[in-house]
Amino acid sequence: EAGVVQSPRYKIIEKKQPVAFWCNPISGHNTLYWYLQNLGQGPELLIRYENEEAVDDSQLPKDRFSAERLKGVDSTLKIQPAELGDSAVYLCASSLGGGQGVDEQFFGPGTRLTVL
Amino acid sequence: GENVEQHPSTLSVQEGDSAVIKCTYSDSASNYFPWYKQELGKRPQLIIDIRSNVGEKKDQRIAVTLNKTAKHFSLHITETQPEDSAVYFCASLKRGSNYKLTFGKGTLLTVNP
């Protein structure tokens, strides 16, 4: 079974440019998460989707960040315009979801963004 | 919101020794505590988790203990091997509709041969 897939793995852009990250969760996983991981820190949640609905986007900087999961499967996270401080690893994770219990989150390999 | 403190930030042990990493959490409503291992440049991978209705859980060389009263939980690795070297993150998740994992800052474990 394929794990969570993310692309690209690495991205280098100049500040003020737009950038987009793509994530394909594990097949059948209803819940999808985007996390930000700064160097030497733990992941921090940006947004969580239940199917196509963004149920928690309280940590997403909405002035420059946006996300979508139109068909409830794969998802795109966008930054426009990028700033120097956005350099980090962007992790996508998925879990079965759909119920009231807690289930394991599986992480993708991440996209390492460098903003020059 | 929830706050998770993790100690130590770095830990160096000799192969075969035990390693212990400790975390504390602030929200008594938290009920799920996973531990993730992240090797350099790779994805975080779940190695063990514990729920609030259990005090201890063991999986081969890895064990986790939970003290709900004191609001802390610990990861224990016995008979450490060089391949155990990685960054370990603890996390907590609050009961309810918002299934948000809050991570600690990580512990860099180095196992010296």
Side-chain angles (χ1 to χ4, degrees):
Chain A
E1 177 182 336
V4 177
V5 179
Q6 289 188 249
S7 67
R9 291 294 314 279
Y10 305 91
K11 189 73 177 179
I12 301 174
I13 61 172
E14 295 193 346
K15 63 181 180 181
K16 300 185 181 179
Q17 295 300 305
V19 64
F21 314 123
W22 178 80
C23 172
N24 196 31
I26 292 172
S27 178
H29 280 196
N30 297 315
T31 307
L32 184 146
Y33 314 76
W34 282 103
Y35 287 88
L36 165 71
Q37 186 175 27
N38 286 305
L39 189 64
Q41 302 290 320
E44 299 173 34
L45 181 69
L46 290 172
I47 189 168
R48 176 172 70 94
Y49 281 92
E50 290 288 346
N51 299 302
E52 67 275 8
E53 182 182 359
V55 295
D56 182 7
D57 63 356
S58 57
Q59 304 300 313
L60 190 72
K62 298 181 183 64
D63 56 337
R64 297 183 300 108
F65 286 64
S66 64
E68 59 183 20
R69 192 185 185 199
L70 296 176
K71 296 183 179 179
V73 180
D74 59 338
S75 175
T76 302
L77 178 68
K78 298 178 181 177
I79 308 175
Q80 183 171 10
E83 296 179 352
L84 294 176
D86 296 332
S87 295
V89 175
Y90 292 82
L91 291 164
C92 179
S94 71
S95 64
L96 279 171
Q100 296 301 311
V102 173
D103 47 30
E104 178 181 351
Q105 295 184 23
F106 295 83
F107 283 83
T111 296
R112 180 175 297 277
L113 174 67
T114 302
V115 182
L116 303 176
Chain B
E2 172 73 299
N3 183 46
V4 176
E5 299 283 342
Q6 183 171 349
H7 299 281
S9 57
T10 61
L11 179 60
S12 182
V13 301
Q14 289 299 122
E15 182 176 0
D17 288 351
S18 295
V20 180
I21 302 170
K22 299 181 179 182
C23 288
T24 61
Y25 60 98
S26 61
D27 194 330
S28 57
S30 294
N31 67 337
Y32 175 65
F33 307 93
W35 286 87
Y36 285 84
K37 175 183 179 182
Q38 187 174 29
E39 297 177 13
L40 187 63
K42 296 191 176 181
R43 71 189 74 195
Q45 291 193 300
L46 182 75
I47 55 172
I48 196 166
D49 57 15
I50 192 167
R51 299 172 192 270
S52 59
N53 59 345
V54 175
E56 183 174 358
K57 184 176 179 180
K58 189 173 182 179
D59 183 3
Q60 299 183 335
R61 297 187 296 110
I62 295 173
V64 57
T65 58
L66 171 65
N67 183 328
K68 289 188 294 181
T69 302
K71 290 189 283 188
H72 67 70
F73 55 113
S74 300
L75 177 71
H76 305 252
I77 307 174
T78 58
E79 301 172 23
T80 54
Q81 301 167 2
E83 50 265 41
D84 294 330
S85 297
V87 178
Y88 291 81
F89 292 98
C90 64
S92 73
L93 190 147
K94 183 177 178 179
R95 179 185 303 128
S97 61
N98 181 4
Y99 294 104
K100 175 183 174 181
L101 272 177
T102 301
F103 285 83
K105 291 189 175 182
T107 297
L108 174 61
L109 173 65
T110 303
V111 180
N112 301 301

